[in-house]
Amino acid sequence: MTCQKCKRREATRHESVRQEDGSWAEAHLCDRCAEKSEVTLLSPASMIQAFIEGATAEARRASGGAAACPSCGITYAEFRSRGRLGCPADYEVFLPDLLPLIERIHHGGTQHVGKSPASTDGRTEFERELIELRRSLAEAVQREQYEEAARLRDRIRILEEGPAGGRGRGGVEP
Amino acid sequence: MRISDLSSHGGEWLRGDGPEGDIVLSSRVRLARNLADHRFTTRAADPERREVADRVRETVMQSKFAERVFYVDLEKEDPVQGEFLVERHLISRELARAEGPRGVAFGSREAISIMVNEEDHLRIQVLQSGCQLEEAWRGARAVDGLLEAGLTFAFHPRFGYLTACPTNVGTGLRASVLLHLPALAFSNHIQQVFKAVHQLSLAVRGLFGEGTEPMGHLFQISNQTTLGRSEAEIVGAVGQIVPQIVKYERQVREDRLQRGRRALEDRVWRALGVLRHSRLISTQETLEHLSAVRLGVNVGILEGIDLRLVNDLFILSQPAHLQKLEGRPLDPGERDEVRAAFLRKRLAPGEGPAENPEASGA
């Protein structure tokens, strides 16, 4: 998605901003434009213009023979005009185009760090949760934060007492 | 329990007894997830969406993520029901106003909700009272783990959890805190806060999230990026700025009490006066005055008014809640009248904590 203001740089900021008519809408701006205007005012007219310009550019690119994803049929141009991909396979199909875009959106991030499905199943998550809760409980007691400790003890009890031996009767809802 | 039974009080996250509860109303973590073998919601036609919804619903109900789980099939509900769930922060406006097979599962305490067929197939959300982002993250991770036992989520070794919009790819996590900053807002110091928040690459939104107006001096602060940092880092980054903003708001409150007490008292009491005596009042005006009353309660200018009640009123005075309460559709003019009557009743002198029905959920 390109910045609604300069229509050149990639929009990296997505926030609620006030329009000229007083209503509020989600705006998509690049860092520089967002910085320049403390409380950004976008006119509906400029948004429409940006949309038309964007759509025209996309149409040009599409007619240049953009390939469609074999799985969901979306083209890169369609994605650019709607802002939503069609299926998980698009991340591979459009990799060369998506990579620089993703890099800009995530301020340089291109490699996932953190949780992955392989590392977890329902049970181990619960066990890990229990281990963490017990550790927090010990710390709370040490710091003499008894209210906190009581709260943690309740949660541990709920998890432990579950008939499935880990899944508490009360579920995980805090 | 029927959903209509919810309309008399707000969710438990409005208790107001969480850490820093006078300023931090709630902490929220949401995770975006998609089934690996289906097109994303916006690209899928109704039959495929229905298949996704059915499969997710089955797994969600079996996962027992909460003691009692409710599922609302939004395709079958009237629009007021959808707006009602938006006002309670259980679903997004987008989901409420979308069409086709879609729904939401939530626990009886309304701390956990799972939206089905929003922009992503699943949006897992955990809401906590006060400043408890890490707690919310732990809850979201546990629910995610439960669902992963029954569903295969789209995951890429490089890009992490795959989402319909690349802005959510990676962890799929958005961490946010809902802050009540009346003193900063009255004095225009709020611009400083926005500046600091932006410098940390965080975003500011209104009470109901994307594209919504900040009302009642309530501001939602959240992360912008989801790829390249772990969930704990993201949660930490959002959580890190909270104590500073809280401190700043407290300083300005203290300063007003020291140097402009009369003016502050006047503002608070006038606000209470309007809420207690109006015959017609809009949502916007209600939130503005509730904000001043909430400040008055928290700094000790107003006594005998329960914080929980004030928190509840932020939600209960919204249009869909009023219509539920009345049991019939109301046009905007009627709503203003019903709202005024409702506020007069709930805020009548002597109608303090005793009238608050929160005990039923405890």
Side-chain angles (χ1 to χ4, degrees):
Chain A
M1 199 178 287
T2 34
C3 171
Q4 289 170 335
K5 206 154 193 216
C6 65
K7 293 155 205 126
R8 283 186 295 121
R9 289 178 291 268
E10 192 58 35
T12 50
R13 299 263 275 258
H14 315 277
E15 290 191 285
S16 300
V17 297
R18 192 187 275 282
Q19 311 294 301
E20 264 175 6
D21 65 2
S23 69
W24 289 74
E26 188 80 351
H28 309 280
L29 302 171
C30 68
D31 277 343
R32 210 178 303 172
C33 289
E35 216 125 278
K36 263 191 276 178
S37 41
E38 201 73 71
V39 176
T40 319
L41 285 166
L42 284 177
S43 70
S46 73
M47 285 171 70
I48 291 163
Q49 200 191 344
F51 178 77
I52 293 168
E53 279 173 18
T56 323
E58 297 301 347
R60 233 178 287 126
R61 207 182 323 181
S63 63
C69 166
S71 160
C72 70
I74 205 170
T75 62
Y76 190 72
E78 272 177 272
F79 157 62
R80 291 297 277 158
S81 67
R82 288 180 203 171
R84 301 290 178 272
L85 290 160
C87 74
D90 295 344
Y91 280 92
E92 278 297 335
V93 175
F94 304 122
L95 184 67
D97 287 317
L98 276 176
L99 194 57
L101 174 71
I102 287 173
E103 193 173 354
R104 283 196 300 269
I105 293 173
H106 296 285
H107 301 175
T110 57
Q111 174 61 53
H112 173 59
V113 183
K115 192 178 179 301
S116 64
S119 70
T120 60
D121 62 56
R123 290 260 344 164
T124 45
E125 266 306 299
F126 264 82
E127 278 151 14
R128 202 157 75 188
E129 169 100 27
L130 267 174
I131 292 166
E132 269 184 41
L133 283 170
R134 290 199 188 100
R135 202 189 57 208
S136 309
L137 172 64
E139 284 170 7
V141 170
Q142 206 170 13
R143 288 195 304 265
E144 301 185 4
Q145 293 171 339
Y146 298 115
E147 231 170 87
E148 169 82 356
R151 203 174 52 80
L152 291 166
R153 205 169 288 128
D154 285 346
R155 289 199 61 185
I156 290 170
R157 201 171 301 140
I158 289 170
L159 288 177
E160 282 175 343
E161 280 176 4
R167 289 187 191 184
R169 264 194 318 246
V172 296
E173 189 165 62
Chain B
M1 184 180 82
R2 287 159 37 136
I3 300 170
S4 51
D5 297 339
L6 298 173
S7 57
S8 62
H9 58 97
E12 289 212 6
W13 59 275
L14 283 165
R15 281 192 312 259
D17 58 359
E20 318 283 8
D22 58 330
I23 293 171
V24 188
L25 262 94
S26 66
S27 303
R28 188 183 77 117
V29 166
R30 78 107 163 100
L31 297 173
R33 297 288 186 260
N34 286 282
L35 302 190
D37 51 355
H38 281 279
R39 281 172 286 194
F40 295 135
T41 309
T42 51
R43 191 76 185 167
D46 275 4
E48 186 172 6
R49 286 190 197 184
R50 190 157 291 122
E51 208 183 312
V52 169
D54 288 348
R55 218 165 106 198
V56 172
R57 177 180 185 161
E58 192 187 342
T59 308
V60 161
M61 297 312 275
Q62 279 171 2
S63 76
K64 297 198 171 59
F65 65 81
E67 194 171 2
R68 283 150 76 211
V69 179
F70 303 97
Y71 189 90
V72 180
D73 184 343
L74 288 163
E75 197 182 12
K76 297 190 179 123
E77 297 289 345
D78 66 85
V80 175
Q81 185 77 288
E83 291 299 319
F84 175 77
L85 296 172
V86 172
E87 290 172 4
R88 298 185 80 77
H89 291 232
L90 287 169
I91 65 173
S92 65
R93 225 160 237 186
E94 287 70 28
L95 188 73
R97 292 176 187 178
E99 288 179 354
R102 66 200 195 285
V104 61
F106 57 91
S108 49
R109 309 180 78 142
E110 298 178 63
I112 299 176
S113 75
I114 301 167
M115 285 190 265
V116 184
N117 277 340
E118 216 252 22
E119 174 182 311
D120 295 300
H121 295 146
L122 293 95
R123 287 279 177 100
I124 302 164
Q125 167 183 282
V126 178
L127 255 179
Q128 292 277 283
S129 183
C131 188
Q132 300 198 72
L133 262 186
E134 282 193 24
E135 190 100 315
W137 157 233
R138 273 195 279 193
R141 190 179 60 186
V143 175
D144 190 38
L146 281 176
L147 299 182
E148 270 174 348
L151 298 169
T152 306
F153 291 145
F155 185 85
H156 188 280
R158 177 162 193 184
F159 297 128
Y161 289 94
L162 301 180
T163 52
C165 184
T167 52
N168 296 313
V169 80
T171 56
L173 183 146
R174 183 172 283 165
S176 62
V177 283
L178 185 60
L179 306 176
H180 183 225
L181 306 173
L184 288 170
F186 289 157
S187 59
N188 268 332
H189 286 298
I190 198 77
Q191 292 298 339
Q192 304 278 100
V193 174
F194 291 166
K195 219 167 157 183
V197 167
H198 286 150
Q199 269 163 7
L200 292 167
S201 294
L202 302 174
V204 186
R205 290 186 170 87
L207 177 57
F208 294 108
E210 290 193 9
T212 66
E213 172 178 10
M215 287 190 291
H217 311 120
L218 293 168
F219 303 93
Q220 192 175 287
I221 293 174
S222 62
N223 59 301
Q224 299 249 23
T225 66
T226 53
L227 181 66
R229 290 184 300 166
S230 72
E231 293 87 352
E233 281 176 81
I234 295 169
V235 167
V238 177
Q240 205 179 15
I241 196 173
V242 177
Q244 297 167 46
I245 300 176
V246 166
K247 196 173 150 200
Y248 194 13
E249 167 73 18
R250 290 228 169 91
Q251 274 172 1
V252 178
R253 287 181 185 188
E254 202 45 51
D255 180 66
R256 290 293 95 196
L257 284 170
Q258 299 289 330
R259 297 196 295 155
R261 190 177 177 99
R262 275 280 169 258
L264 186 62
E265 284 175 343
D266 183 64
R267 188 164 202 154
V268 167
W269 280 105
R270 274 170 187 273
L272 184 62
V274 170
L275 295 173
R276 275 182 173 166
H277 299 287
S278 289
R279 263 41 187 180
L280 291 171
I281 190 164
S282 69
T283 307
Q284 171 88 40
E285 193 184 356
T286 302
L287 294 187
E288 196 183 302
H289 295 313
L290 278 175
S291 171
V293 167
R294 193 174 190 278
L295 175 65
V297 170
N298 281 327
V299 298
I301 291 175
L302 296 177
E303 283 169 8
I305 294 180
D306 188 23
L307 182 61
R308 165 76 203 235
L309 170 67
V310 181
N311 286 350
D312 271 351
L313 292 179
F314 273 95
I315 305 301
L316 302 184
S317 62
Q318 298 284 328
H321 271 77
L322 290 177
Q323 296 180 67
K324 283 262 171 196
L325 209 65
E326 282 287 293
R328 65 188 175 96
L330 302 168
D331 64 51
E334 280 180 300
R335 264 181 242 158
D336 289 354
E337 195 176 338
V338 169
R339 184 179 294 112
F342 171 71
L343 291 166
R344 286 203 306 276
K345 182 161 175 275
R346 296 302 295 265
L347 285 167
E351 297 284 334
E355 211 213 26
N356 182 2
E358 106 215 70
S360 61

